[in-house]
């Protein structure tokens, strides 16, 4: 049983490394490493509108057993995003993992 657990852990770690590399490549300067050892990252997104600059930060934590058995943990930081719009975004993120 320990061999299966170790194999899953290694596969999870490899999948995380590949996903982090892909996200870093996609998001470029918008991709931030908060704590690499703890697998905590952030994607910063800003609107292009000059009159009302809106920024959001999606903080992502990858648990050790992600992606095999656990979803990523995330927090949306955007003061302007409230109520049903925030809930809709949260539901969309859940749907993506499932």
């Amino acid at each position: 049983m320990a061999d299966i657990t170790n194999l899953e852990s290694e596969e999870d770690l490899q999948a995380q490394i590949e996903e982090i590399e892909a996200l870093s490549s996609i998001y470029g300067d918008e991709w931030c490493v908060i704590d690499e050892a703890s697998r905590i990252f952030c994607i910063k997104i800003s609107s292009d509108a000059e009159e009302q600059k809106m920024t959001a930060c999606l903080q992502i934590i990858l648990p050790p057993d992600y992606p095999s058995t656990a979803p990523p943990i995330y927090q949306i930081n955007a003061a302007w995003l409230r109520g049903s719009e925030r809930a809709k975004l949260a539901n969309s993120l859940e749907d993506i993992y499932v």
Side-chain angles (χ1 to χ4, degrees):
M1 185 71 169
D3 288 339
I4 293 172
T5 303
N6 287 339
L7 182 59
E8 282 181 355
S9 293
E10 289 177 25
E11 289 173 354
D12 283 340
L13 181 59
Q14 186 58 42
Q16 288 181 23
I17 290 169
E18 291 170 7
E19 187 166 340
I20 291 164
E21 288 175 358
L23 290 168
S24 175
S25 176
I26 292 167
Y27 289 101
D29 292 340
E30 295 169 337
W31 176 258
C32 306
V33 177
I34 295 173
D35 185 344
E36 191 166 5
S38 297
R39 299 276 194 237
I40 303 173
F41 307 94
C42 178
I43 301 170
K44 293 181 182 176
I45 303 164
S46 298
S47 68
D48 291 330
E50 292 181 23
E51 65 278 354
Q52 185 179 7
K53 190 88 166 170
M54 295 170 44
T55 302
C57 180
L58 177 64
Q59 184 174 321
I60 305 157
I61 301 170
L62 302 179
D65 50 351
Y66 170 81
S68 67
T69 59
I73 300 164
Y74 62 87
Q75 178 177 343
I76 303 165
N77 298 316
W80 52 269
L81 187 61
R82 300 180 189 269
S84 64
E85 290 298 315
R86 182 182 278 282
K88 184 178 175 182
L89 178 58
N91 289 336
S92 295
L93 292 170
E94 288 290 324
D95 290 343
I96 290 169
Y97 173 74
V98 173

